[in-house]
C-alpha cells in the first residue's frame, strides 16, 4: 500500500519469534560484491561527506544476504511428533522478486523449540551504505549487480537495521519525531531504532578492535543473535530514556525493506514496557543518551495502530522504517492472546542499564 516500504518476511504464524528461535549463519560469502569502479566512487562519496560532516565515522554493520524460515506446518508437526520437515520461505510473495532467498532442506536444531529462522549475514559498513544504497546511482548498481552476478543486490551494502514497536503498560505505542539535524527522514515520526553492532560482539568476546579491523572470524554466532535482540532495547533506552529493567523480552516480528534507500532491510521487533505512557513521557523529557536525535514524543493507541493505512493522516508523517514496522505489527499482532499465553511478553530483559 506504500511504495516506500515492503515486507521481506513476517513471523505471523508464531506471533513473532523469541531470541531462542532465531539463529544466524555468518560467512564472507554474504558480503557485498566488489567492483573496481564502484570502490573508487564509494571512496569519493565518503571523502566528500566527511569533509562537510567531520563528525561522521565509518562503523561496521551486519549485511543481510538471505534467510530461511520454517513453515507453520513444520512447527506443528514438530510439536506433535518430532518429525522433520524442510524449511521454506513463507514470505516469497512479500519478498523482492530479485531477492536471493535460498530454499532447501535443512534441519532446524532442537525439535521442540529450536531455531525457526536463520538469517544469513555478512559484514558491511556505513561508508559502503552511503556509496551504494544511499547513492543516486542505486538503481544503476542494481542493474550492474544483476548483469555481473545474477543478483540485483550484490553490489549494495544492505546493512541490517533494527526498530522497535514499543508498547506501554496502558497500551500506547511510542513514536518519536526525528530531529531536522539527523541524516535521514528529518521531521518525520519514527520508532526507536538503529543497528546491531559487530564491534559490540567483539567487545563481549574481550576483543578491543578498531571498526576497520573487524572481520567475520572475530564473530560468534550466538552473540550476534544476542546483539540483534539486545540492540533494539539499547536504542529504546538511549532514544526514549527508558531503563532496560522496564523493558520486556523483544519479539521479532519480521524484516521490512526501506525502498527510499534501495531496499535497506530492518529487523522489526515488538517490545513491551512496564511503564505507563505518562511515565514514559516524563522520562523522555529528562533526555537520554541520544536525546538530540528527536524533538518530541507521540503516543498512538493499539487500535489506532492496527487501523493505520495510506489514507490515515498519521501515515504520511511516518518515515519508511516506522511504516514497515507498523505493517509488520498489523500482520503479526505479537501482543495478541496467543503471544501472552506463550509468555513471549512477560519477562523483563536481563541486562544492566546505562546512564539515563
Amino acid at each position: 500500500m506504500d511504495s516506500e516500504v515492503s515486507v521481506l518476511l513476517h513471523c505471523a504464524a508464531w506471533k513473532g519469534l523469541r531470541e531462542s528461535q532465531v539463529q544466524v549463519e555468518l560467512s564472507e560469502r554474504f558480503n557485498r560484491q566488489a567492483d573496481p569502479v564502484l570502490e573508487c566512487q564509494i571512496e569519493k562519496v565518503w571523502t566528500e561527506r566527511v569533509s562537510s560532516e567531520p563528525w561522521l565515522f565509518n562503523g561496521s554493520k551486519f549485511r543481510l544476504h538471505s534467510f530461511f524460515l520454517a513453515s507453520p506446518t513444520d512447527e506443528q508437526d514438530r510439536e506433535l511428533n518430532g518429525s522433520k520437515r524442510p524449511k521454506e520461505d513463507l514470505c516469497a510473495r512479500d519478498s523482492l522478486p530479485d531477492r536471493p532467498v535460498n530454499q532447501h532442506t535443512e534441519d532446524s536444531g532442537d525439535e521442540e523449540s529450536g531455531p525457526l529462522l536463520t538469517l544469513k549475514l555478512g559484514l558491511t559498513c556505513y561508508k559502503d551504505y552511503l556509496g551504494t544504497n544511499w547513492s543516486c546511482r542505486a538503481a544503476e548498481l542494481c542493474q550492474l549487480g544483476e548483469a555481473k552476478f545474477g543478483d540485483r543486490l550484490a553490489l549494495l551494502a544492505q546493512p541490517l537495521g533494527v526498530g522497535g514497536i514499543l508498547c506501554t503498560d496502558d497500551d500506547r505505542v511510542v513514536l518519536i519525531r526525528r530531529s531536522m539535524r539527523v541524516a535521514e527522514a528529518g521531521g518525520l515520526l519514527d520508532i526507536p531504532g538503529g543497528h546491531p553492532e559487530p564491534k559490540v560482539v567483539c567487545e563481549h568476546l574481550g576483543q578491543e578492535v578498531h571498526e576497520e579491523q573487524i572481520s567475520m572470524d572475530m564473530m560468534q554466532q550466538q552473540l550476534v543473535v544476542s546483539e540483534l535482540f539486545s540492540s533494539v532495547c539499547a536504542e529504546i533506552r538511549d532514544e526514549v530514556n527508558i531503563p532496560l529493567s522496564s523493558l520486556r523480552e523483544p519479539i521479532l516480528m519480521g524484516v521490512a525493506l526501506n525502498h527510499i534507500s534501495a531496499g535497506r532491510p530492518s529487523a522489526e521487533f515488538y517490545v513491551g514496557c512496564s511503564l505507563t505512557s505518562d511515565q514514559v513521557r516524563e522520562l523522555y523529557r529528562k533526555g537520554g543518551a541520544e536525546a538530540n536525535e528527536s524533538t518530541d514524543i507521540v503516543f498512538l493507541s493499539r487500535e489506532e495502530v492496527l487501523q493505520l493505512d495510506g489514507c490515515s493522516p498519521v501515515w504520511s508523517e511516518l518515515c519508511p522504517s516506522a511504516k514497515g514496522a507498523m505493517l509488520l505489527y498489523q500482520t503479526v499482532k505479537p501482543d495478541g492472546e496467543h503471544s501472552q499465553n506463550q509468555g513471549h511478553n512477560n519477562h523483563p530483559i536481563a541486562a544492566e542499564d546505562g546512564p539515563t
Side-chain angles (χ1 to χ4, degrees), residues 189-225:
L189 292 174
D190 199 2
I191 57 173
H195 296 85
E197 303 290 348
K199 187 175 183 180
V200 172
V201 176
C202 292
E203 290 172 348
H204 282 311
L205 290 169
Q207 301 169 340
E208 295 294 334
V209 295
H210 296 293
E211 294 280 359
E212 61 273 11
Q213 297 175 325
I214 293 174
S215 62
M216 196 60 73
D217 58 7
M218 297 178 178
M219 299 289 108
Q220 190 179 95
Q221 294 187 4
Q222 190 52 49
L223 286 180
V224 173
V225 176

Side-chain angles (χ1 to χ4, degrees), residues 7-78:
V7 170
L8 176 65
L9 73 95
H10 64 74
C11 307
W14 303 277
K15 302 294 183 181
L17 300 181
R18 292 164 290 177
E19 182 175 331
S20 62
Q21 297 172 303
V22 178
Q23 65 183 1
V24 299
E25 181 181 343
L26 306 173
S27 174
E28 293 181 356
R29 303 193 317 273
F30 306 141
N31 291 355
R32 179 180 67 84
Q33 296 289 341
D35 175 83
V37 175
L38 175 58
E39 308 316 306
C40 292
Q41 293 171 342
I42 291 174
E43 288 294 337
K44 180 180 178 181
V45 169
W46 179 250
T47 300
E48 292 174 350
R49 284 294 297 269
V50 172
S51 65
S52 60
E53 304 170 68
W55 55 85
L56 292 179
F57 69 96
N58 185 25
S60 179
K61 309 296 177 188
F62 291 106
R63 180 181 190 267
L64 178 63
H65 174 272
S66 53
F67 67 91
F68 290 125
L69 182 63
S71 71
T73 304
D74 184 19
E75 175 66 3
Q76 291 165 5
D77 283 355
R78 283 187 286 130

Side-chain angles (χ1 to χ4, degrees), residues 101-114:
V101 176
N102 299 301
Q103 301 184 38
H104 67 258
T105 300
E106 179 179 295
D107 291 344
S108 58
D110 189 314
E111 293 301 313
E112 186 65 28
S113 59

Side-chain angles (χ1 to χ4, degrees), residues 125-145:
C125 63
Y126 185 59
K127 178 178 73 173
D128 285 3
Y129 167 67
L130 290 182
T132 60
N133 286 72
W134 199 240
S135 168
C136 60
R137 297 183 58 244
E140 180 184 337
L141 294 177
C142 288
Q143 295 174 353
L144 181 60

Side-chain angles (χ1 to χ4, degrees), residues 290-308:
E290 298 178 1
N292 62 310
E293 295 185 2
S294 65
T295 60
D296 196 12
I297 189 167
V298 174
F299 298 89
L300 298 179
S301 69
R302 182 178 186 273
E303 291 70 25
E304 288 174 314
V305 172
L306 289 174
Q307 294 172 10
L308 276 178

Side-chain angles (χ1 to χ4, degrees), residues 3 5 12 59 64 156 165 178 191 250 255 265 281 286 330-331 343:
S3 61
V5 296
L64 178 63
L156 301 185
I165 292 284
R178 293 173 63 84
I191 57 173
V255 176
R281 182 183 289 106
K286 291 180 180 178
Q330 292 172 344
T331 302

